[in-house]
Amino acid sequence: MDVDLIVLGSGTAGVKVATRCRVAGWRVALVEARQFGGTCALRGCEPKKVFWTLAEAAERAQRLSAKGVGGGGGVTLDWAAAQRFKRSFTDPVPESRRESLERAGIIALHGQPRFLGPDRIAVDGQEIRFRHALIATGAEPAELPIAGRENLSTSDDFLSLEDMPKSLVLLGGGYISFECAHLARRAGAEVTILEGGDRPLAPFDEALVARLVEKTRALGIRVELGCKAAAIRADAGGFRVECGDGRSFAGAMVLHGLGRRPALSGLGLEAAGVPVEKGRLLLDPYLRSTGNERVFAAGDAAAQGPALTPVASHDAAVVARNLLEGCHTKPDYSVVPSAAFTLPPLAAVGLTEAQAKERGIDYELREGDMADYQSVRRTGEDTAAYRLLVAPGSGAILGAHLLGPEAPDSINLFALAMRAGMGAEALSRMMTAYPTGGSNIASMLG
């Protein structure tokens, strides 16, 4: 079979590039080694947000039980029922995704792809010759130099649990560990987070992370710092994690939250002349392989920007344009909002205070507590705050960091302002629907 483009991976990036090129008249094939749909729709942000929505609803009912929500104090997160609800979203995805590809005229293949040469690939014995290829295979948990690592479970396993274990130990203090920890705790589990360094959630604002850690501990989640896992041993009824400093922690399940890497194994990249260094593809500024100009990458497999679904969409637009129009477009990761869906959630865009100091960038810090804001107080949440970095003189927004119930939505307004070049004064004058999280921005900037 000869094609103009073969896409490896059926997630956000792969499907967008395949569809765009097919609309342009290209002959396109797409290969998926797992279920059609990709990480975000099946094993990542979308199913996670379903669980988060249920956990947030249960907790809000508890917080407001004395304020007029009848029976709210007895509302809990029923994990088994939540799992069934989540599957109403995820179960239809593989067949639906495959059918949509085929309706678009894209050849959908299932199997493990392997390059045979710079312009050839095999899928379960079928050889395909291509003009271009896109590696959009996503990411997978990083391999860890820890004895007993075969005892680790992943976030995939966690989101597929039929019943919540009585206890969990989560390795790493990143957003995966914190999000899973908050869900598990609200489903009744005893939870411990082990962070090898002196602070978790490193990409986020340090002061707001400190508040979130305090809140996390108040919920009954243990957050142990300076605890680097050295071994995982089978123990009665579960496992025991041994740290290098002699501490140890037991749990019925131990979860890998120590980072992910591009999923490149089994692709036979050497045969295609596609170089890899330290587990990452070597790409030029146009997301094209430095060793084979036929081959591009996007999303988590490219690992050029933050590992987020909107970044995969952005990469896809860049690659599609470069394929169809020639390599003139470079990705722009300068303004990428992100959120950790804990309870309350944490959100950020732009520079942190630490980054501004490190780069010698002058800034004015505007910060405050939001627990008494109407939009927060009415939810019963007692932990909410903001920290904004504004350039002196110009008023340009350098960074925005929010902790509170509507933080993930409100951060998008800051991101939009930064993209549009709207400074703090102009943003503070923007009319917003009131009372909402967005209407708090004027008070933050005032």
Side-chain angles (χ1 to χ4, degrees), residues 325-374:
E325 302 175 11
C327 286
H328 305 295
T329 305
K330 301 177 183 179
D332 176 8
Y333 307 120
S334 60
V335 180
V336 181
S338 62
F341 284 97
T342 48
L343 285 167
L346 182 64
V349 66
L351 297 176
T352 63
E353 187 176 16
Q355 290 170 333
K357 288 179 178 177
E358 182 180 337
R359 300 177 192 182
I361 298 173
D362 290 336
Y363 64 92
E364 295 174 0
L365 178 63
R366 305 185 188 183
E367 62 180 330
D369 190 280
M370 294 193 293
D372 285 335
Y373 281 30
Q374 199 272 354

Side-chain angles (χ1 to χ4, degrees), residues 155 158 168-185 191-195 200-201 216 221-223 255-259 340-342:
S155 58
F158 177 84
L168 285 89
V169 178
L170 300 104
L171 306 189
Y175 77 92
I176 289 178
S177 287
F178 265 76
E179 290 176 343
C180 292
H182 275 242
L183 292 176
R185 181 60 184 151
V191 183
T192 302
I193 297 172
L194 305 182
E195 164 58 42
L201 295 168
T216 300
I221 298 172
R222 296 181 67 178
V223 181
L255 192 68
H256 184 328
L258 286 168
F341 284 97
T342 48

Side-chain angles (χ1 to χ4, degrees), residues 178 182 185 193 200 210-225:
F178 265 76
H182 275 242
R185 181 60 184 151
I193 297 172
R211 286 189 178 225
L212 180 59
V213 169
E214 182 181 359
K215 174 77 170 187
T216 300
R217 286 170 168 159
L219 293 168
I221 298 172
R222 296 181 67 178
V223 181
E224 299 288 336
L225 304 180

Side-chain angles (χ1 to χ4, degrees), residues 16-341:
K16 286 183 179 292
V17 175
T19 302
R20 178 83 177 274
C21 290
R22 178 59 191 146
V23 168
W26 285 25
R27 181 171 168 81
V28 180
L30 183 146
V31 186
E32 176 55 64
R34 300 181 69 176
Q35 289 179 303
F36 282 90
T39 297
C40 181
L42 294 173
R43 303 174 293 274
C45 42
E46 292 184 12
K48 169 196 72 182
K49 191 66 183 291
V50 172
F51 283 120
W52 182 89
T53 300
L54 297 171
E56 196 274 340
E59 176 157 302
R60 184 172 293 195
Q62 291 176 357
R63 293 197 303 261
L64 298 175
S65 61
K67 309 290 193 301
V69 178
V75 175
T76 59
L77 177 61
D78 181 336
W79 186 265
Q83 182 64 253
R84 291 192 294 272
F85 183 53
K86 182 218 78 174
R87 287 188 170 145
S88 72
F89 291 85
T90 57
D91 285 358
V93 168
E95 186 62 27
S96 175
R97 181 65 55 88
R98 183 166 194 157
E99 288 177 353
S100 68
L101 291 168
E102 292 173 346
R103 283 196 304 272
I106 296 167
I107 303 164
L109 303 172
H110 188 268
Q112 175 62 49
R114 184 173 182 82
F115 286 97
L116 302 176
D119 64 347
R120 292 178 298 122
I121 199 166
V123 181
D124 286 350
Q126 180 180 10
E127 186 172 325
I128 302 168
R129 190 176 297 275
F130 58 85
R131 281 202 302 125
H132 295 287
L134 172 68
I135 300 172
T137 47
E140 61 189 4
E143 291 186 8
L144 302 177
I146 298 175
R149 56 186 173 273
E150 66 276 6
N151 296 318
L152 281 170
S153 297
T154 67
S155 58
D156 291 9
D157 301 320
F158 177 84
L159 293 174
S160 297
L161 287 171
E162 295 291 346
D163 297 294
M164 183 59 60
K166 292 183 178 179
S167 57
L168 285 89
V169 178
L170 300 104
L171 306 189
Y175 77 92
I176 289 178
S177 287
F178 265 76
E179 290 176 343
C180 292
H182 275 242
L183 292 176
R185 181 60 184 151
R186 286 164 173 88
E190 295 296 321
V191 183
T192 302
I193 297 172
L194 305 182
E195 164 58 42
D198 58 1
R199 59 158 296 201
L201 295 168
F204 291 91
D205 177 86
E206 187 171 1
L208 295 189
V209 168
R211 286 189 178 225
L212 180 59
V213 169
E214 182 181 359
K215 174 77 170 187
T216 300
R217 286 170 168 159
L219 293 168
I221 298 172
R222 296 181 67 178
V223 181
E224 299 288 336
L225 304 180
C227 189
K228 190 173 182 179
I232 306 165
R233 315 287 186 193
D235 197 17
F239 306 95
R240 181 166 292 277
V241 180
E242 298 173 357
C243 296
D245 61 1
R247 286 180 286 175
S248 68
F249 304 89
M253 183 180 194
V254 182
L255 192 68
H256 184 328
L258 286 168
R260 293 168 67 82
R261 65 174 189 181
L264 306 175
S265 58
L267 296 182
L269 297 174
E270 302 86 355
V274 174
V276 177
E277 185 176 278
K278 296 181 179 179
R280 295 165 63 102
L281 295 166
L282 295 182
L283 305 174
D284 69 12
Y286 307 102
L287 300 179
R288 178 178 54 184
S289 170
T290 58
N292 184 344
E293 291 189 348
R294 298 174 182 268
V295 179
F296 289 74
D300 290 358
Q304 298 297 291
L308 301 169
T309 296
V311 169
S313 293
H314 174 69
D315 282 359
V318 169
V319 169
R321 188 169 181 180
N322 286 335
L323 286 169
L324 296 171
E325 302 175 11
C327 286
H328 305 295
T329 305
K330 301 177 183 179
D332 176 8
Y333 307 120
S334 60
V335 180
V336 181
S338 62
F341 284 97

